[in-house]
Amino acid sequence: MVERLRAAGIDDERLVAAFAAVERHRFVDSALANQAYEDTSLPIGFGQTISKPSVVGRMLQALLAGAPRAAAPAGATRGGMRSAPLHRVLEIGTGCGYQAALLAHLATNVVSIERVGALADKARANLAAAGVRNVQVLHGDGRAGAPVLAPFDAIVSAAGGAELPAAWLEQLAAGGRLVAPGAEVRPGVQELLVVERWPTGCRRRVAGEVWFVPLKSGAE
Ligand code: SAH
């Protein structure tokens, strides 16, 4: 899978290392485990899917592009803490927790919000079984972000809509970056938005095309 990701342009070594470390088969049903390392989305229940690895790779590579490269080599420790390229990250749409587990390798702390309670529970169990300890899964409507835990230096959403929720931009730290699917530009195609927050305001650009599930309102 890692070689295929490289061929697809995922060349940030910090991200490649995260993909190599996280076992994707742990995040899907055992009946689908034999397909876990193919570049395909798979059902995770409740009408939702685990995203395609190459799409997750593009999102996270866009997120990391703004992060400073640590002076210490990857895996080095600083005051007992692993030095991570990102400090605090907010993820919207935990699903089964796979992308959250990748983020756990790239950030000191990850807060992830899922609107389907049963999926939030599943993600917590998957992350615990994978030994991931720096992800906090919250059940709720991610459109509100997590104001109590803000600001975040990176925000990434696995669900998209025509409008970026204002709360996300409010909770983005200065110098931070948000990556999310945006408006549907053609049937079945959303623009991939990258927003950077500067002291003078937000700079927004389109960084390609993706297709994610809609960002739904409310929690269930
Ligand atoms: N991150 C997952 C992808 C999950 S698919 C992975 O690693 O593969 C997108 C998820 O977004 C679904 O689980 C869906 O329930 C969730 N979602 C949709 N709208 C949401 C909202 N408003 N708040 C939180 N989660 C939401």
Side-chain angles (χ1 to χ4, degrees):
M1 185 177 92
V2 166
E3 288 317 310
R4 264 202 306 272
L5 288 170
R6 280 190 201 277
I10 308 304
D11 54 8
D12 185 307
E13 289 307 322
R14 302 166 295 183
L15 182 54
V16 172
F19 271 111
V22 178
E23 297 176 309
R24 192 165 180 259
H25 73 265
R26 288 180 177 276
F27 295 85
V28 297
D29 280 357
S30 49
L32 298 172
N34 60 341
Q35 295 174 61
Y37 297 96
E38 291 170 14
D39 192 27
T40 161
S41 56
L42 294 168
I44 54 173
F46 310 93
Q48 302 302 324
T49 55
I50 179 172
S51 308
K52 239 172 125 152
S54 58
V55 173
V56 173
R58 280 171 54 208
M59 300 286 283
L60 297 187
Q61 189 150 284
L63 201 68
L64 278 172
R69 291 191 176 261
T77 57
R78 192 176 48 208
M81 291 287 287
R82 183 165 52 88
S83 66
L86 298 168
H87 179 45
R88 294 180 57 72
V89 177
L90 174 66
E91 177 190 49
I92 320 297
T94 322
C96 59
Y98 176 65
Q99 179 173 278
L102 293 170
L103 284 168
H105 281 265
L106 303 169
T108 314
N109 280 298
V110 180
V111 176
S112 184
I113 312 176
E114 171 56 55
R115 66 178 290 279
V116 179
L119 279 176
D121 290 343
K122 195 173 193 173
R124 284 188 195 104
N126 287 342
L127 290 163
V132 175
R133 298 194 203 295
N134 54 337
V135 177
Q136 188 180 351
V137 177
L138 306 177
H139 173 219
D141 184 348
R143 293 179 313 157
V148 175
L149 301 169
F152 299 97
D153 51 6
I155 300 180
V156 60
S157 177
E163 292 282 320
L164 281 183
W168 297 356
L169 296 176
E170 284 159 14
Q171 291 169 31
L172 193 60
R177 172 180 284 233
L178 179 154
V179 176
E184 191 169 339
V185 284
R186 293 193 299 283
V189 178
Q190 292 157 325
E191 50 192 17
L192 176 61
L193 294 176
V194 176
V195 183
E196 287 169 343
R197 179 158 194 168
W198 294 92
T200 47
C202 287
R203 197 167 65 194
R204 176 180 170 135
R205 65 188 166 84
V206 175
E209 296 181 337
V210 286
W211 183 242
F212 279 91
V213 296
L215 185 66
K216 290 193 185 164
S217 59
E220 62 185 56

